[in-house]
Amino acid sequence: MKLSQAMIVKNEEKNIVRALAWGKRIMSEQIVVDTGSKDDTIALAKQNGAAVFVIPWEDDFSKAKNSAIERCHGDWIAFLDADEYLTKEDAEKLPNIISMAEKTGCDSISASLLELDDEGKVFGGGTLTRFFKNQKDIRYHRCIHEQLSVQKEYDATKELTIYHTGYSASAKREKPSDRNIRLILKELSKHPKDDEMLGYLGDEYRARDQYREAVEAYEKAVSFFPSDLEESNQRAAVTLERLLQLYVFQFAWQKQPNGTTSDMKHISFEQIQALYHKSIKLFPKEPDYDYIMGEFYFGDAEYQEASRSYGKALTKLSTYGFENRALMLMPHIRDTYEKYAFSLYSIGQMKDAVEIATQCIRENHQAMLALKTLLMMFTKDGETPSTVQAILTFLFKIYDQNNLRDKMILYYAAEDANCPEFKKAVLLYFTDEEQDVLLQDKSKHTE
C-alpha cells in the first residue's frame, strides 16, 4: 500500500519542516501545493524532499486542495495543514490503522485533535478527518471551511492524535483577513440558510469586535438549525457558546454609565436564560454554557449562582472530557478553579473551598486569587500569633521560604487579602538584600 501526504501552503516557513518531518518514514510521496509564498516555504519544502507545485490562488480552498489531491499517486492520502502534525509514534501506527479501515469498508479515518498554545500546552480538542482513500468521488467542497465528501469513517480518535498550533495566542493576535468574510459571503449567496456558514460569519465579525453583526449572524444561524441537530455538531455548539457570551457581554455593558452608546440591541436577562436553557438542552455535555454563566454571575458578585454554574461546568468537563467541547473553558481552567474556590468561600462552603484553593496553589504558585481565598479563610477569626504561625507552616510546605519569588507572592497575597500580621511575618523571612528588591518592586507598581 502506498501513502501520499498532501498539503496546500502559503508563507509557512515556520511550519513546513515539521509538517513534512512526521510523514517521511511512511509516505511514498509528499506533495506540497503552494499558492503564492513570498518567504522560504518552497525552498525548504524542496530541501526536505517534497514535490512542490505552484498554482495561482483563486479564492477557493477546496479548489486548491483538490488540485493537490489530483497530484497524489498513493492509495490513501494524509491531508494535514502545515500547522498540524502527528508524533513519530502515531505516524508509525497509521499504515495498520488504514488496513483496519479498509477491512471495515471505510473510506476515511477520523483522529483526535489537540490545540496547543505558545507554550506547547493543550487548551482544546476535537475530531478531524485528515486521512482518506485516493478515489475520484472524494473531494473537498465549499470555497472556505471546506468539507470532505466521504461516506464511512473509521474512528481512530483513541489511536491517532493530530497536534495543531495555528490557533495559539500569537496567531490570534494577527489581524483577521478580509478574504474570509468575502468567501463566506460568497457561499451564503448560494446557500443563505447555511447555519454553519452563518456561524463562521459570526466568528469573523466577532474577531473584528463587530459585535452587533456577530450577534445577527449567530442568531440567524440558530434560527436555521436543522430539527434533527446532532449532539456531535460542534459548529452549532460553538455558535450557541459565542452567542451566549455576547448576550452576557452586552447585558453587562448595558449596566455601565455609557452602556446606552452600544450599537448592539438591548439584551434582557430573560433572553440570556432562554438561550442558556436552549443550549444545554441541545448539548447537555458541553461545559462552556455553564462556564459562561459562571463568569456572568461571578462578575455580578452573585457567588451562590456562580458556584453552581462553575460546579456544573467542571463536573461536565471531568465526566465527558474536552474532545469537541470546552473551547472556552479549557484555556481558562486554572482561573475557573480559583473563582470556584472563592465563590464557595463566599457562600460559606469552607471545606470545599480550602481543598480546591490548595490544589490551585500546589499546581501554580502564582494562583493569587486562590491564595488570597485561603488567607481570608484562615484569618476570618483574626490574626493571632498562633494563627499566623499555623498559616506559615502550612504554606511553607507548598512555597519555598528561601525562594525570593515565592516570598514575594505570599507578601502580595497578604496585602491583597488585608492580612497585615501575616504580611509582617512573611517579611521576616526576607534578607536585607531581598527587602531592597521588594521595595523596588513595590515602587514600580505604585508609579
Side-chain angles (χ1 to χ4, degrees):
M1 179 188 299
K2 291 184 178 180
L3 306 182
S4 297
Q5 182 182 1
M7 68 184 79
I8 62 169
V9 297
K10 182 180 179 182
N11 297 329
E12 291 287 356
E13 63 181 6
K14 292 181 180 178
N15 296 316
I16 191 64
V17 175
R18 183 185 61 197
L20 292 168
W22 70 263
K24 277 189 180 298
R25 293 180 54 142
I26 61 169
M27 297 296 165
S28 301
E29 60 181 0
Q30 292 179 299
I31 305 296
V32 173
V33 169
D34 190 279
T35 61
S37 291
K38 303 298 183 184
D39 61 6
D40 289 334
T41 300
I42 292 175
L44 288 169
K46 288 179 178 179
Q47 288 171 20
N48 284 271
V52 179
F53 302 88
V54 179
I55 66 170
W57 173 247
E58 299 182 52
D59 264 2
D60 192 324
F61 282 95
S62 286
K63 191 170 184 178
K65 286 190 172 184
N66 292 336
S67 176
I69 290 173
E70 286 155 12
R71 290 173 164 86
C72 293
H73 301 93
D75 302 297
W76 278 69
I77 297 170
F79 209 123
L80 277 66
D81 292 339
D83 55 7
E84 298 172 346
Y85 64 93
L86 298 178
T87 63
K88 177 184 175 183
E89 293 74 19
D90 277 10
E92 291 175 352
K93 297 177 191 174
L94 187 57
N96 288 334
I97 292 171
I98 289 174
S99 295
M100 291 296 297
E102 288 201 324
K103 287 178 183 177
T104 54
C106 295
D107 60 0
S108 55
I109 297 168
S110 59
S112 291
L113 168 73
L114 290 181
E115 304 278 8
L116 302 181
D117 64 17
D118 290 336
E119 297 177 354
K121 295 178 181 176
V122 175
F123 71 87
T127 303
L128 291 177
T129 303
R130 292 286 193 259
F131 313 97
F132 51 91
K133 273 188 173 182
N134 187 2
Q135 54 190 45
K136 290 183 178 180
D137 61 333
I138 298 181
R139 292 293 185 271
Y140 287 96
H141 62 278
R142 297 204 307 204
C143 64
I144 190 170
H145 299 297
E146 55 281 5
Q147 294 181 330
L148 195 62
S149 54
V150 295
Q151 297 298 316
K152 185 179 179 183
E153 292 186 0
Y154 178 84
D155 183 0
T157 53
K158 290 182 170 57
E159 302 161 273
L160 288 178
T161 300
I162 297 170
Y163 292 90
H164 183 210
T165 61
Y167 292 134
S168 62
S170 59
K172 286 181 180 179
R173 285 192 291 269
E174 295 176 4
K175 184 180 178 180
S177 169
D178 291 336
R179 174 202 65 196
N180 289 4
I181 285 187
R182 185 177 69 253
L183 296 184
I184 290 170
L185 291 175
K186 180 180 174 182
E187 284 292 328
L188 285 170
S189 69
K190 295 181 284 188
H191 307 286
K193 294 185 178 182
D194 187 332
D195 62 284
E196 288 190 10
M197 276 295 152
L198 285 164
Y200 288 125
L201 181 62
D203 293 349
E204 293 296 328
Y205 287 133
R206 176 174 172 269
R208 293 163 173 77
D209 298 335
Q210 295 176 237
Y211 299 126
R212 178 178 58 80
E213 293 86 350
V215 166
E216 289 174 357
Y218 289 139
E219 287 180 336
K220 275 188 181 180
V222 173
S223 72
F224 293 133
F225 279 173
S227 57
D228 57 346
L229 189 68
E230 295 182 357
E231 197 179 332
S232 60
N233 190 326
Q234 189 187 22
R235 176 61 258 178
V238 169
T239 293
L240 288 167
E241 288 163 17
R242 291 176 177 169
L243 181 57
L244 181 61
Q245 186 187 48
L246 289 176
Y247 272 14
V248 166
F249 173 83
Q250 173 61 10
F251 188 78
W253 178 252
Q254 288 166 186
K255 296 180 180 180
Q256 302 303 313
N258 58 345
T260 55
T261 63
S262 170
D263 67 347
M264 285 175 62
K265 69 176 186 179
H266 183 86
I267 298 296
S268 68
F269 180 64
E270 290 70 27
Q271 284 176 287
I272 293 173
Q273 284 186 310
L275 183 60
Y276 165 74
H277 288 297
K278 179 183 182 71
S279 300
I280 61 171
K281 182 178 180 181
L282 290 171
F283 299 98
K285 298 177 183 177
E286 173 58 68
D288 275 351
Y289 310 122
D290 295 293
Y291 163 70
I292 293 168
M293 296 305 294
E295 292 287 279
F296 170 66
Y297 290 122
F298 189 89
D300 274 359
E302 295 185 33
Y303 298 120
Q304 183 76 53
E305 294 300 327
S307 65
R308 286 176 183 164
S309 295
Y310 285 139
K312 288 178 184 178
L314 294 168
T315 298
K316 289 178 182 180
L317 181 66
S318 65
T319 304
Y320 305 115
F322 59 80
E323 186 175 299
N324 288 330
R325 302 186 185 96
L327 295 179
M328 292 185 180
L329 173 58
M330 280 302 293
H332 304 101
I333 189 66
R334 284 181 169 178
D335 289 345
T336 301
Y337 272 108
E338 289 192 70
K339 291 175 181 176
Y340 185 35
F342 185 85
S343 299
L344 290 170
Y345 154 72
S346 299
I347 61 173
Q349 294 189 24
M350 301 299 181
K351 182 176 181 296
D352 290 339
V354 168
E355 289 178 359
I356 295 168
T358 301
Q359 187 60 34
C360 287
I361 64 171
R362 287 187 190 280
E363 294 180 1
N364 175 23
H365 283 191
Q366 297 185 67
M368 296 299 285
L369 179 58
L371 183 54
K372 173 185 174 180
T373 301
L374 287 170
L375 291 175
M376 291 170 68
M377 281 190 284
F378 293 156
T379 60
K380 64 183 177 66
D381 295 324
E383 290 184 274
T384 64
S386 60
T387 298
V388 169
Q389 187 55 52
I391 298 170
L392 280 171
T393 301
F394 172 75
L395 290 176
F396 278 148
K397 292 178 182 178
I398 299 171
Y399 294 86
D400 184 352
Q401 67 187 62
N402 297 312
N403 182 284
L404 175 59
R405 192 181 81 162
D406 277 7
K407 287 182 284 189
M408 289 178 71
I409 290 170
L410 293 174
Y411 179 89
Y412 281 121
E415 198 165 66
D416 199 25
N418 194 24
C419 299
E421 297 305 316
F422 180 75
K423 186 170 71 171
K424 290 178 187 176
V426 171
L427 197 56
L428 294 175
Y429 286 86
F430 283 71
T431 66
D432 291 343
E433 293 80 6
E434 288 173 339
Q435 288 193 34
D436 289 340
V437 173
L438 177 64
L439 286 171
Q440 291 172 16
D441 190 69
K442 284 174 67 69
S443 65
K444 288 178 184 176
H445 283 85
T446 56
E447 286 178 356

